[in-house]
Amino acid sequence: MDIDAFVAVHQSEWDRLAVLSDQRRLSAAEADELLRLYERTSTHLSMVQAVEPGGSLAAGLSARLGRARTQLTGSGGNVFEGIAYFFAQSLPAAFYRIRWLTLILGAAFIAVAVGYGIWTYHHPQLDLLMPEAEREAYAGSQFEDYYSEHPNSSFAAQVWTNNAWIAAQEVAFGVTGVWVPFILFINAQGVGIAGGIMAEQGAADVFWLNILPHGLMEITAIFIAGAAGLRIFWAWVAPGQQRRLTSLAYEGRRLITVAVGLVIVLLVSGIVEGFVTPSALPSWLKIGIGALVLAAYWVYTLVLGGRAHRAGVTGDLGRYDAGAHELTA
């Protein structure tokens, strides 16, 4: 049996099974349809297991049948098991799916920021951009004071809210295809110009010491949000065999998990920015904490996420994918 051809033929039925399994209420006709799809998918699972008994497609179909069975019988799951499944399976799988796009956006951001930093540093008429007196004040105290002029807890909450708003815009308006590049370009430009001014004033060390502890994870979170937004955009541009609205809705549901996860990621970076960046800790320790947070994210994504993805986890809130074929392309 050709697995790829089999998936192509029956993909729409499995998608419909997943949709009906997640509906809160079903009409009589929908309940009958769910039962028919459940029986048909059970047959499909038997056929797949005869060819690839331990494959990700079999695992995904089995999981979908489990959710359909729960819908048919009306039995609920343990809430703590659901929470554990979210953090151990769904969330890392969702991050893993957009890992390459996250890295591509990060590389583009760094290129733009470095370009603007060099341009600012070597600008022959920098006074037109910011007068000398203002640059001295900015590098001398204003840049560093920004991180300590408010109480730690309120500042952490402020940056968390601000960054969550930026991330939400990227995910929500990513479908336009232009909002994510625009937001990333504006932020890269701002970081680059700030770094160029600090370097021109001989305060590059102050810039890096106040950016790196929280910025390593904070800016990465913006890349993650941008990657999620662009995935939604691509689902609309290239829907494959599905209708555009169906593809868009399906991808949007899968990336809800990313949005929820970013709230937690940005909370961690906000805590670092509010309590670690302005602290009296040694410079190496503050930067080390920021690097450790970033490393923890990538270990979580690549190790747990890679394992969950290979097992057929879709990244939905508590849902499996039907294998690493059509649905995860």
Side-chain angles (χ1 to χ4, degrees), residues 19-20 40 45 56 58 104 106 119 131 161 192-193 199 223-224 248 267 280 299 312-313 317 326:
V19 170
L20 292 174
R40 195 173 301 164
L45 176 59
S56 59
I104 291 171
W119 174 80
T161 303
I193 292 176
F223 305 154
I224 298 167
L248 185 64
L267 173 61
V299 169
V313 180
L317 291 175
E326 178 75 17

PDB file of all heavy atoms in Angstrom, residues 19-20 40 45 56 58 104 106 119 131 161 192-193 199 223-224 248 267 280 299 312-313 317 326:
ATOM      1  N   VAL A  19     -12.653  17.560  13.340  1.00  0.00           N
ATOM      2  CA  VAL A  19     -13.530  18.711  13.561  1.00  0.00           C
ATOM      3  C   VAL A  19     -14.743  18.315  14.398  1.00  0.00           C
ATOM      4  O   VAL A  19     -15.095  18.976  15.380  1.00  0.00           O
ATOM      5  CB  VAL A  19     -13.977  19.312  12.210  1.00  0.00           C
ATOM      6  CG1 VAL A  19     -15.079  20.354  12.433  1.00  0.00           C
ATOM      7  CG2 VAL A  19     -12.795  19.948  11.497  1.00  0.00           C
ATOM      8  N   LEU A  20     -15.388  17.227  14.041  1.00  0.00           N
ATOM      9  CA  LEU A  20     -16.576  16.777  14.772  1.00  0.00           C
ATOM     10  C   LEU A  20     -16.219  16.335  16.191  1.00  0.00           C
ATOM     11  O   LEU A  20     -17.004  16.532  17.123  1.00  0.00           O
ATOM     12  CB  LEU A  20     -17.249  15.627  14.024  1.00  0.00           C
ATOM     13  CG  LEU A  20     -17.891  15.980  12.676  1.00  0.00           C
ATOM     14  CD1 LEU A  20     -18.391  14.727  11.979  1.00  0.00           C
ATOM     15  CD2 LEU A  20     -19.034  16.972  12.873  1.00  0.00           C
ATOM     16  N   ARG A  40     -15.178   4.141   9.785  1.00  0.00           N
ATOM     17  CA  ARG A  40     -14.356   4.121   8.583  1.00  0.00           C
ATOM     18  C   ARG A  40     -12.881   4.305   8.927  1.00  0.00           C
ATOM     19  O   ARG A  40     -12.007   3.627   8.373  1.00  0.00           O
ATOM     20  CB  ARG A  40     -14.833   5.218   7.635  1.00  0.00           C
ATOM     21  CG  ARG A  40     -14.322   5.086   6.211  1.00  0.00           C
ATOM     22  CD  ARG A  40     -14.993   6.108   5.331  1.00  0.00           C
ATOM     23  NE  ARG A  40     -16.450   5.948   5.349  1.00  0.00           N
ATOM     24  CZ  ARG A  40     -17.308   6.865   4.922  1.00  0.00           C
ATOM     25  NH1 ARG A  40     -16.857   8.011   4.433  1.00  0.00           N
ATOM     26  NH2 ARG A  40     -18.606   6.645   4.970  1.00  0.00           N
ATOM     27  N   LEU A  45      -7.219   2.545  10.085  1.00  0.00           N
ATOM     28  CA  LEU A  45      -6.157   2.276  11.048  1.00  0.00           C
ATOM     29  C   LEU A  45      -5.695   0.822  10.943  1.00  0.00           C
ATOM     30  O   LEU A  45      -4.486   0.547  10.994  1.00  0.00           O
ATOM     31  CB  LEU A  45      -6.637   2.576  12.465  1.00  0.00           C
ATOM     32  CG  LEU A  45      -5.654   2.256  13.599  1.00  0.00           C
ATOM     33  CD1 LEU A  45      -4.355   3.031  13.435  1.00  0.00           C
ATOM     34  CD2 LEU A  45      -6.286   2.562  14.957  1.00  0.00           C
ATOM     35  N   SER A  56       4.128   6.762  12.621  1.00  0.00           N
ATOM     36  CA  SER A  56       3.468   7.947  13.186  1.00  0.00           C
ATOM     37  C   SER A  56       2.034   8.090  12.673  1.00  0.00           C
ATOM     38  O   SER A  56       1.175   8.628  13.373  1.00  0.00           O
ATOM     39  CB  SER A  56       4.268   9.199  12.838  1.00  0.00           C
ATOM     40  OG  SER A  56       4.392   9.343  11.436  1.00  0.00           O
ATOM     41  N   ALA A  58      -0.128   5.639  12.116  1.00  0.00           N
ATOM     42  CA  ALA A  58      -0.959   4.773  12.958  1.00  0.00           C
ATOM     43  C   ALA A  58      -1.197   5.410  14.318  1.00  0.00           C
ATOM     44  O   ALA A  58      -2.313   5.383  14.846  1.00  0.00           O
ATOM     45  CB  ALA A  58      -0.297   3.403  13.114  1.00  0.00           C
ATOM     46  N   ILE A 104      15.169  31.506  10.630  1.00  0.00           N
ATOM     47  CA  ILE A 104      15.308  32.368   9.446  1.00  0.00           C
ATOM     48  C   ILE A 104      14.950  33.811   9.790  1.00  0.00           C
ATOM     49  O   ILE A 104      15.661  34.753   9.416  1.00  0.00           O
ATOM     50  CB  ILE A 104      14.420  31.837   8.307  1.00  0.00           C
ATOM     51  CG1 ILE A 104      14.978  30.517   7.779  1.00  0.00           C
ATOM     52  CG2 ILE A 104      14.323  32.860   7.175  1.00  0.00           C
ATOM     53  CD1 ILE A 104      14.057  29.805   6.817  1.00  0.00           C
ATOM     54  N   GLY A 106      15.064  35.132  12.724  1.00  0.00           N
ATOM     55  CA  GLY A 106      16.100  35.625  13.625  1.00  0.00           C
ATOM     56  C   GLY A 106      17.327  36.096  12.866  1.00  0.00           C
ATOM     57  O   GLY A 106      17.905  37.146  13.173  1.00  0.00           O
ATOM     58  N   TRP A 119      25.640  51.447  10.103  1.00  0.00           N
ATOM     59  CA  TRP A 119      25.276  52.695   9.402  1.00  0.00           C
ATOM     60  C   TRP A 119      25.232  53.872  10.379  1.00  0.00           C
ATOM     61  O   TRP A 119      25.738  54.962  10.077  1.00  0.00           O
ATOM     62  CB  TRP A 119      23.920  52.502   8.738  1.00  0.00           C
ATOM     63  CG  TRP A 119      23.362  53.750   8.103  1.00  0.00           C
ATOM     64  CD1 TRP A 119      23.687  54.276   6.895  1.00  0.00           C
ATOM     65  CD2 TRP A 119      22.377  54.623   8.680  1.00  0.00           C
ATOM     66  NE1 TRP A 119      22.962  55.429   6.661  1.00  0.00           N
ATOM     67  CE2 TRP A 119      22.147  55.663   7.743  1.00  0.00           C
ATOM     68  CE3 TRP A 119      21.670  54.621   9.873  1.00  0.00           C
ATOM     69  CZ2 TRP A 119      21.240  56.688   7.981  1.00  0.00           C
ATOM     70  CZ3 TRP A 119      20.761  55.642  10.119  1.00  0.00           C
ATOM     71  CH2 TRP A 119      20.553  56.664   9.167  1.00  0.00           C
ATOM     72  N   PRO A 131      21.018  64.888  18.186  1.00  0.00           N
ATOM     73  CA  PRO A 131      22.059  65.861  18.565  1.00  0.00           C
ATOM     74  C   PRO A 131      23.067  65.270  19.548  1.00  0.00           C
ATOM     75  O   PRO A 131      22.736  64.354  20.305  1.00  0.00           O
ATOM     76  CB  PRO A 131      21.258  67.007  19.194  1.00  0.00           C
ATOM     77  CG  PRO A 131      19.892  66.892  18.579  1.00  0.00           C
ATOM     78  CD  PRO A 131      19.668  65.432  18.397  1.00  0.00           C
ATOM     79  N   THR A 161       3.568  42.784  29.260  1.00  0.00           N
ATOM     80  CA  THR A 161       2.370  43.209  28.544  1.00  0.00           C
ATOM     81  C   THR A 161       2.718  43.764  27.170  1.00  0.00           C
ATOM     82  O   THR A 161       2.066  43.446  26.168  1.00  0.00           O
ATOM     83  CB  THR A 161       1.621  44.275  29.358  1.00  0.00           C
ATOM     84  OG1 THR A 161       1.300  43.749  30.655  1.00  0.00           O
ATOM     85  CG2 THR A 161       0.335  44.688  28.663  1.00  0.00           C
ATOM     86  N   GLY A 192      19.215  48.342  16.187  1.00  0.00           N
ATOM     87  CA  GLY A 192      20.460  48.673  15.497  1.00  0.00           C
ATOM     88  C   GLY A 192      20.895  50.114  15.726  1.00  0.00           C
ATOM     89  O   GLY A 192      22.072  50.383  16.002  1.00  0.00           O
ATOM     90  N   ILE A 193      19.953  51.043  15.626  1.00  0.00           N
ATOM     91  CA  ILE A 193      20.281  52.458  15.827  1.00  0.00           C
ATOM     92  C   ILE A 193      20.714  52.707  17.264  1.00  0.00           C
ATOM     93  O   ILE A 193      21.691  53.434  17.521  1.00  0.00           O
ATOM     94  CB  ILE A 193      19.082  53.342  15.452  1.00  0.00           C
ATOM     95  CG1 ILE A 193      18.843  53.283  13.935  1.00  0.00           C
ATOM     96  CG2 ILE A 193      19.302  54.776  15.907  1.00  0.00           C
ATOM     97  CD1 ILE A 193      17.622  54.044  13.474  1.00  0.00           C
ATOM     98  N   ALA A 199      27.592  52.607  20.776  1.00  0.00           N
ATOM     99  CA  ALA A 199      28.977  52.345  20.376  1.00  0.00           C
ATOM    100  C   ALA A 199      29.701  53.636  20.023  1.00  0.00           C
ATOM    101  O   ALA A 199      30.878  53.823  20.372  1.00  0.00           O
ATOM    102  CB  ALA A 199      28.988  51.386  19.177  1.00  0.00           C
ATOM    103  N   PHE A 223      10.485  36.363  17.274  1.00  0.00           N
ATOM    104  CA  PHE A 223      10.696  35.560  16.066  1.00  0.00           C
ATOM    105  C   PHE A 223       9.689  34.409  16.012  1.00  0.00           C
ATOM    106  O   PHE A 223       9.162  34.082  14.945  1.00  0.00           O
ATOM    107  CB  PHE A 223      12.112  34.982  16.027  1.00  0.00           C
ATOM    108  CG  PHE A 223      13.209  35.991  16.149  1.00  0.00           C
ATOM    109  CD1 PHE A 223      14.455  35.638  16.656  1.00  0.00           C
ATOM    110  CD2 PHE A 223      13.013  37.308  15.761  1.00  0.00           C
ATOM    111  CE1 PHE A 223      15.474  36.554  16.770  1.00  0.00           C
ATOM    112  CE2 PHE A 223      14.037  38.247  15.868  1.00  0.00           C
ATOM    113  CZ  PHE A 223      15.263  37.872  16.377  1.00  0.00           C
ATOM    114  N   ILE A 224       9.448  33.786  17.154  1.00  0.00           N
ATOM    115  CA  ILE A 224       8.500  32.664  17.221  1.00  0.00           C
ATOM    116  C   ILE A 224       7.104  33.136  16.819  1.00  0.00           C
ATOM    117  O   ILE A 224       6.410  32.476  16.028  1.00  0.00           O
ATOM    118  CB  ILE A 224       8.471  32.068  18.643  1.00  0.00           C
ATOM    119  CG1 ILE A 224       9.839  31.506  19.018  1.00  0.00           C
ATOM    120  CG2 ILE A 224       7.404  30.978  18.749  1.00  0.00           C
ATOM    121  CD1 ILE A 224       9.985  31.180  20.497  1.00  0.00           C
ATOM    122  N   LEU A 248      -6.831  27.650   6.342  1.00  0.00           N
ATOM    123  CA  LEU A 248      -6.545  28.772   7.238  1.00  0.00           C
ATOM    124  C   LEU A 248      -7.042  28.489   8.644  1.00  0.00           C
ATOM    125  O   LEU A 248      -6.330  28.719   9.632  1.00  0.00           O
ATOM    126  CB  LEU A 248      -7.205  30.038   6.685  1.00  0.00           C
ATOM    127  CG  LEU A 248      -6.921  31.341   7.419  1.00  0.00           C
ATOM    128  CD1 LEU A 248      -5.441  31.682   7.338  1.00  0.00           C
ATOM    129  CD2 LEU A 248      -7.747  32.478   6.810  1.00  0.00           C
ATOM    130  N   LEU A 267       6.629  35.825  29.819  1.00  0.00           N
ATOM    131  CA  LEU A 267       6.610  36.043  31.265  1.00  0.00           C
ATOM    132  C   LEU A 267       7.993  35.798  31.848  1.00  0.00           C
ATOM    133  O   LEU A 267       8.489  36.579  32.674  1.00  0.00           O
ATOM    134  CB  LEU A 267       5.581  35.120  31.923  1.00  0.00           C
ATOM    135  CG  LEU A 267       5.569  35.128  33.460  1.00  0.00           C
ATOM    136  CD1 LEU A 267       5.236  36.524  33.987  1.00  0.00           C
ATOM    137  CD2 LEU A 267       4.582  34.095  33.988  1.00  0.00           C
ATOM    138  N   ALA A 280      22.429  43.983  40.704  1.00  0.00           N
ATOM    139  CA  ALA A 280      23.855  44.198  40.948  1.00  0.00           C
ATOM    140  C   ALA A 280      24.662  42.919  40.760  1.00  0.00           C
ATOM    141  O   ALA A 280      25.833  42.852  41.154  1.00  0.00           O
ATOM    142  CB  ALA A 280      24.060  44.731  42.364  1.00  0.00           C
ATOM    143  N   VAL A 299      16.379  23.463  23.978  1.00  0.00           N
ATOM    144  CA  VAL A 299      16.409  22.056  24.387  1.00  0.00           C
ATOM    145  C   VAL A 299      14.983  21.519  24.485  1.00  0.00           C
ATOM    146  O   VAL A 299      14.672  20.422  24.006  1.00  0.00           O
ATOM    147  CB  VAL A 299      17.146  21.892  25.732  1.00  0.00           C
ATOM    148  CG1 VAL A 299      16.946  20.479  26.290  1.00  0.00           C
ATOM    149  CG2 VAL A 299      18.635  22.175  25.560  1.00  0.00           C
ATOM    150  N   GLY A 312       3.775  12.024  15.954  1.00  0.00           N
ATOM    151  CA  GLY A 312       2.534  12.415  15.310  1.00  0.00           C
ATOM    152  C   GLY A 312       1.737  13.463  16.036  1.00  0.00           C
ATOM    153  O   GLY A 312       0.571  13.701  15.710  1.00  0.00           O
ATOM    154  N   VAL A 313       2.327  14.117  17.050  1.00  0.00           N
ATOM    155  CA  VAL A 313       1.605  15.161  17.768  1.00  0.00           C
ATOM    156  C   VAL A 313       1.502  16.390  16.880  1.00  0.00           C
ATOM    157  O   VAL A 313       2.499  16.861  16.329  1.00  0.00           O
ATOM    158  CB  VAL A 313       2.311  15.515  19.093  1.00  0.00           C
ATOM    159  CG1 VAL A 313       1.555  16.610  19.827  1.00  0.00           C
ATOM    160  CG2 VAL A 313       2.432  14.279  19.970  1.00  0.00           C
ATOM    161  N   LEU A 317      -4.094  22.036  20.859  1.00  0.00           N
ATOM    162  CA  LEU A 317      -4.300  21.933  22.299  1.00  0.00           C
ATOM    163  C   LEU A 317      -4.818  20.534  22.623  1.00  0.00           C
ATOM    164  O   LEU A 317      -6.016  20.273  22.625  1.00  0.00           O
ATOM    165  CB  LEU A 317      -5.299  22.992  22.787  1.00  0.00           C
ATOM    166  CG  LEU A 317      -4.797  24.428  22.728  1.00  0.00           C
ATOM    167  CD1 LEU A 317      -5.899  25.393  23.120  1.00  0.00           C
ATOM    168  CD2 LEU A 317      -3.600  24.626  23.646  1.00  0.00           C
ATOM    169  N   GLU A 326       0.658  14.703   5.075  1.00  0.00           N
ATOM    170  CA  GLU A 326       0.000  15.895   4.545  1.00  0.00           C
ATOM    171  C   GLU A 326      -0.157  16.984   5.596  1.00  0.00           C
ATOM    172  O   GLU A 326       0.050  18.152   5.339  1.00  0.00           O
ATOM    173  CB  GLU A 326      -1.392  15.488   4.016  1.00  0.00           C
ATOM    174  CG  GLU A 326      -2.210  16.648   3.474  1.00  0.00           C
ATOM    175  CD  GLU A 326      -1.719  17.098   2.124  1.00  0.00           C
ATOM    176  OE1 GLU A 326      -0.984  16.327   1.469  1.00  0.00           O
ATOM    177  OE2 GLU A 326      -2.070  18.214   1.729  1.00  0.00           O
TER     178      GLU A 326
END
